[in-house]
Amino acid sequence: MTPHTDRTVLRGGVVIDGTGGPRRDADVEIAGGLIGAVGEVEALPGDTVVDCHGRFVMPGFIDAHAHVDGLIFDPAVQLALLRQGVTTVVGGQDGVSYAPGDGVWASRYFAAINGAHPTYAGGGVAELLASYDHATPLNVGYLVPAGTVRHEVMGMRTGRADAAQLAEMQRLVAEGLDAGALGLSTGLDYVPGIFADADELAALCAPVAAAGGVYVTHMRGGYETNTAAGLREVVAICTDAGVRGHVSHLHVDAADAERLLAEAAASGADLSFDMYPYTRGCTLVSMAVLPPEYSALDVDAAIARLADPAERARLRAEWFPLVADKPSLGPEWPSMIRVGHTPAADWAWAPGLTLAEIAQRRGTDVVDATLDLLVAGRLEVNAVMAVRDERPVENLARLFAHDAHTGGSDGIFVGAVPHPRAAGSFARFLGTYVGRSFDWERAAVHLAARTAERFGLTDRGVIRPGAAADLAVVDPSDAMDAATYDDPRALARGIDDVFVGGAHVLRGGALTGARPGRGLRHPHVSTASTKGTP
């Protein structure tokens, strides 16, 4: 037992420790923000005792892919995550986020994805990580976003980086890693990441490999039928740089994924992946329906072009037939894209409706309706994207069982009618896929321990003495998601008590107001470089 003035004892639960070993009846001692004894813990005067009988005590879940970089300060977002047992999120995804730099470009480009950060006004990764310290009940890890780095050095230039530009980009990546970033992220279907070739990305991964970080990528080419080509590029980058890789939100048939991941391993690449338990996606409407060059334009220039009748006629004749030919959409694209968010007050009625329904309500054709929507929202419009062939639960379950899988939501909270994955993914893993993909013991590995290992979070993800006391108390008979496409913000069930850094942040299903969360620094960062942070 550890004498401590703020000791908490989780009494009478079943501990599932994240190692994959068998569950056991045990108490858990929390003291000084860390896990103490695990076993029979004698009560001491002044202890806070939490009755966990009939519930599992599990390591807090780690969301390997979350878009809450600016929204983690919102109590509604905090509550939605904690009710799923999530205690740590990894931001800086898809190559776009605030740091390094002043954050203005990323805040504009990903306004409908990440939202705006309420306090970050510039600097770098150190300043951004510091903004999370004791400001939220959850922990936030961060990846240096390669697209933001390229934009800082090259703007929206499309050519290859020259030697001086590449050296400056490497310097910014190394600086972010020195500040505590967990690795590097790319978004190779977004600008300016789409302009970077594999040689450039391998060069940017050199400091990542040296720091023991991970290369995390939204692959090039839109996944599904293009997954093989995307993975070949990932393998080339990882083997050239000698860096571990992680594929974001893998979308592909399970049998194809197993084959491609085996081929990648045989080529010498050390890969993991995250994948959320839904078949529909969520992205920017402009990315789905406009030519790629529009993403590289200043917003005012893009809006002016979209408002020009001659440009609309060109898009109608030359571009939108190509949208109808996309394998992921097809001619039914107007009924497959359902608006989630627009900032335009005059269009507040649009979220929750498909583009086809919006066109019908406005009495116009779908091309004009879509372009009018984008102009009114100044491109800050996101949507839930249906797919032509939804894979069955059994196919998803097979992929979640893969040893390289980690839990990720790709959660986007921006919008009146967002994708339910933000509020439901981790609860859905428990309610639908325990018993299909894994048992409870392996669930803790997939949703916590393996993610911690891949991202270098060596002090969490497992229940053992000395580890950070990030814990979720789970009712196995009731743990499930409630969010749906029609009611995407409904809170998950079955997790009412959560601890972060030893603090009781969710009690009885409600926020306590405690804010022990941190901007998590990679363990290679010395304590001297983060002096003043817990």
Side-chain angles (χ1 to χ4, degrees), residues 329-353:
L329 290 173
E332 300 85 12
W333 66 269
S335 62
M336 296 174 67
I337 300 174
R338 186 182 188 188
V339 174
H341 165 72
T342 174
D346 290 347
W347 290 72
W349 51 269
L353 300 180

Side-chain angles (χ1 to χ4, degrees), residues 34 43 69 79 102 123 129 133 145 174 182 247 262 269 293 298 328 357 362 403 433 443 470 484 506 509:
L34 303 177
D69 304 35
L79 183 61
D102 61 14
L129 286 172
D133 290 335
L182 307 178
V247 178
E293 61 266 23
D298 173 82
S328 59
E357 291 168 335
R362 297 186 79 241
D403 283 344
Y433 292 96
D470 294 351
T484 65
L506 187 75

Side-chain angles (χ1 to χ4, degrees), residues 415-512:
V417 190
H419 195 297
R421 68 193 187 194
S425 284
F426 280 76
R428 194 174 183 88
F429 280 126
L430 301 181
T432 300
Y433 292 96
V434 168
R436 284 189 171 96
S437 302
F438 29 62
D439 57 18
W440 283 98
E441 286 81 356
R442 295 300 297 173
V445 173
H446 283 254
L447 305 184
R450 181 175 294 135
T451 318
E453 182 277 325
R454 293 302 292 178
F455 286 86
L457 302 174
T458 55
D459 61 341
R460 57 202 75 224
V462 293
I463 299 177
R464 57 170 169 76
D470 294 351
L471 301 165
V473 184
V474 180
D475 181 349
S477 69
D478 193 39
M480 64 186 67
D481 57 309
T484 65
Y485 291 109
D486 292 326
D487 187 13
R489 295 187 181 275
L491 297 173
R493 295 164 43 187
I495 300 177
D496 291 334
D497 290 284
V498 176
F499 297 81
V500 173
H504 205 166
V505 294
L506 187 75
R507 180 189 295 119
L511 296 174
T512 66

Side-chain angles (χ1 to χ4, degrees), residues 246-307:
H246 180 89
V247 178
S248 297
H249 43 62
L250 185 62
H251 299 290
V252 68
D253 176 77
D256 290 337
E258 291 167 351
R259 173 179 54 81
L260 292 169
L261 289 167
E263 291 173 0
S267 299
D270 179 0
L271 297 185
S272 56
F273 67 93
D274 62 72
M275 182 181 175
Y276 51 82
Y278 301 84
T279 52
R280 298 182 193 178
C282 179
T283 192
L284 299 169
V285 171
S286 59
M287 182 177 169
V289 304
L290 293 181
E293 61 266 23
Y294 265 85
S295 294
L297 295 174
D298 173 82
V299 172
D300 289 334
I303 296 304
R305 286 182 61 174
L306 292 177

Side-chain angles (χ1 to χ4, degrees), residues 95-108:
V96 181
S97 193
Y98 315 114
D102 61 14
V104 172
W105 168 76
S107 295
R108 192 279 300 168

Side-chain angles (χ1 to χ4, degrees), residues 46-292:
D47 282 351
T48 299
V49 178
V50 178
D51 183 2
C52 297
H53 284 88
R55 295 188 287 173
F56 293 160
V57 180
M58 302 180 71
F61 304 143
I62 302 172
D63 190 338
H65 190 109
H67 286 286
V68 293
D69 304 35
L71 298 178
I72 195 67
F73 306 98
D74 183 343
V77 172
Q78 298 163 5
L79 183 61
L81 292 168
L82 291 170
R83 287 283 289 265
Q84 299 175 72
V86 174
T87 57
T88 295
V89 296
V90 181
Q93 301 286 351
D94 295 339
V96 181
S97 193
Y98 315 114
D102 61 14
V104 172
W105 168 76
S107 295
R108 192 279 300 168
Y109 183 34
F110 262 28
I113 304 294
N114 286 343
H117 192 291
T119 61
Y120 179 78
V125 173
E127 289 79 5
L128 182 62
L129 286 172
S131 76
Y132 299 119
D133 290 335
H134 301 300
T136 166
L138 292 95
N139 302 311
V140 181
Y142 190 71
L143 302 164
V144 179
T148 300
V149 167
R150 194 178 213 268
H151 187 269
E152 281 292 296
V153 175
M154 298 180 63
M156 284 298 177
R157 288 189 286 277
T158 61
R160 297 189 69 179
D162 62 29
Q165 290 167 332
L166 190 58
E168 177 61 10
M169 285 192 280
Q170 286 180 311
R171 185 191 69 80
L172 289 174
V173 172
E175 185 178 82
L177 293 164
D178 287 344
L182 307 178
L184 178 78
S185 81
T186 56
L188 302 182
D189 286 332
Y190 296 98
V191 294
I194 196 171
F195 307 135
D197 62 19
D199 289 341
E200 176 182 315
L201 298 174
L204 296 188
C205 282
V208 180
V214 62
Y215 170 57
V216 179
T217 181
H218 170 126
M219 297 189 304
R220 199 183 309 271
Y223 295 81
E224 299 295 352
T225 57
N226 294 316
T227 297
L231 269 174
R232 281 195 295 271
E233 183 179 47
V234 176
V235 169
I237 292 166
C238 290
T239 54
D240 285 354
V243 69
R244 295 177 304 126
H246 180 89
V247 178
S248 297
H249 43 62
L250 185 62
H251 299 290
V252 68
D253 176 77
D256 290 337
E258 291 167 351
R259 173 179 54 81
L260 292 169
L261 289 167
E263 291 173 0
S267 299
D270 179 0
L271 297 185
S272 56
F273 67 93
D274 62 72
M275 182 181 175
Y276 51 82
Y278 301 84
T279 52
R280 298 182 193 178
C282 179
T283 192
L284 299 169
V285 171
S286 59
M287 182 177 169
V289 304
L290 293 181

